[in-house]
């Protein structure tokens, strides 16, 4: 069984910063891509940023230059540093990690429960 736990969400003023963290635990053999998505009420979940196991990253155009994704493979952790936050960044943010649970299992995507980020004055 695999569990992803997110932390770091909250309320921040426009122009402020937040750092989200996500750690996985359980029966994990190997993790490849880690990513953050966000979803507003009644909207589709959209990719914010992803980082591959080689360290390469890509970002949604709306967050380039403001958000930075990083990973710590030893801790099964992926972080999202969010700077210069805007009201339109308000959403529920979800962490996902693509992993194999055993040597023979295919890669599957596992998701956290989501953490609310609210940008408002």
């Amino acid at each position: 069984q695999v569990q992803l736990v997110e932390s770091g969400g909250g309320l921040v003023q426009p122009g402020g910063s937040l750092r989200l963290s996500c750690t996985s635990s359980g029966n994990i053999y190997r993790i490849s891509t880690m990513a953050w998505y966000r979803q507003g009420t009644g909207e589709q979940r959209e990719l914010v940023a992803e980082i591959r196991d080689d360290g390469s990253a890509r970002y949604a155009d709306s967050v380039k230059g403001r958000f930075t994704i990083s990973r710590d493979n030893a801790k099964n952790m992926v972080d999202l540093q969010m700077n210069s936050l805007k009201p339109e960044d308000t959403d529920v943010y979800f962490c996902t990690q693509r992993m194999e649970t055993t040597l023979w299992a295919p890669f599957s995507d596992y998701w956290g429960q989501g953490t609310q980020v609210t940008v408002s004055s």
Side-chain angles (χ1 to χ4, degrees), residues 5-98:
V5 178
E6 298 141 338
S7 62
L11 172 65
V12 64
Q13 292 186 342
S17 298
L18 282 175
R19 188 176 184 90
L20 306 182
S21 291
C22 170
T23 302
S24 60
S25 61
N27 189 23
I28 299 169
Y29 176 71
R30 183 172 58 167
I31 303 173
S32 60
T33 302
M34 300 181 178
W36 287 94
Y37 283 70
R38 64 187 182 187
Q39 185 174 23
T41 303
E43 298 178 358
Q44 284 193 327
R45 197 168 292 187
E46 64 173 7
L47 177 69
V48 176
E50 70 172 21
I51 183 167
R52 298 178 180 174
D53 49 6
D54 63 1
S56 61
R58 68 183 181 106
Y59 298 88
D61 288 342
S62 58
V63 307
K64 282 181 181 177
R66 300 188 299 121
F67 291 10
T68 303
I69 190 170
S70 61
R71 62 189 286 166
D72 184 335
N73 293 324
K75 297 179 179 179
N76 295 344
M77 180 184 295
V78 56
D79 288 351
L80 185 68
Q81 178 66 42
M82 305 185 293
N83 299 328
S84 303
L85 282 160
K86 305 175 181 180
E88 51 264 43
D89 294 318
T90 296
D91 265 330
V92 178
Y93 285 69
F94 296 87
C95 162
T96 181
Q97 296 184 9
R98 178 163 294 179

